Amino acid sequence: MTKTIGLICGSLRKNSYNQAIAQSLINLDNSAQFRWIEIDNLPFFNEDLEIAGAPESVISFRNDIQDVDGVMIVSPEYNSGIPGVLKNALDWASRPRTSSVLNRKPVGLIGATPGGFGTAFAQIQIREVLEAMQVNVLPFQKMLISQVHEKIDSDQKILTDEQTKRYLQRYLQQFIHWIDHAPVPVLD
């Protein structure tokens, strides 16, 4: 059965490297369907807004997550951490706590940066947030892309580095396979 994967980009920048990497996932694999899950129009998380009735953009965002088999988060690292816009989106997705749309949802993490360490620090923080939300994050695998500016055609916004394409494709295939095998813990 064909899997549907939601793509969330943790950068709002028009010429985002991470947006190009996410687009490359679509170009690299035709065994899955992909849907963009936008986070740019979400308001800042505020429990008062939630109590009054979640804004339409939040409802749409949550529905988009609910409708996919798994989510791939592709995010940069800002100041050795998670981008604020992504943290805000995850906060909205975490509610309501007992029935969050990401609860037990398979999630993969990819990050690209012009720096030399990939997005290791941001991915640690994202994993911590997702663990608190009881999300199934692809275990034992990391997809950290460093010096991304040398691996992308900036004009066409596509990944050109063949080795990175192979790693990205392998990560995606592992994620698709893992969607069917992600553990669903029994809670007392």
Side-chain angles (χ1 to χ4, degrees), residues 2 21 25 28 50 62-63 68 109 125 177 186:
T2 302
I21 295 296
L25 291 169
L28 287 173
E50 183 181 44
R62 289 175 178 163
N63 288 341
V68 296
L109 297 175
Q125 290 179 0
H177 175 76
V186 177

Side-chain angles (χ1 to χ4, degrees), residues 13-17 20 114 147-160:
R13 191 169 67 88
K14 181 181 168 188
N15 292 317
S16 164
Y17 296 127
Q147 283 93 32
V148 67
H149 61 292
E150 297 172 358
K151 299 173 181 176
I152 289 187
D153 179 323
S154 298
D155 294 330
Q156 296 181 11
K157 298 177 191 78
I158 58 169
L159 180 63
T160 57

Side-chain angles (χ1 to χ4, degrees), residues 94-141:
S94 74
R95 306 292 290 208
R97 177 121 177 102
T98 57
S99 60
S100 160
V101 292
L102 278 174
N103 190 309
R104 310 285 185 247
K105 181 79 69 173
V107 172
L109 297 175
I110 298 171
T113 182
F117 294 113
T119 55
F121 298 120
Q123 284 199 27
I124 289 168
Q125 290 179 0
I126 295 168
R127 282 179 184 273
E128 287 175 350
V129 170
L130 294 174
E131 183 177 313
M133 294 169 59
Q134 299 181 358
V135 174
N136 284 330
V137 181
L138 180 62
F140 313 117
Q141 306 295 322

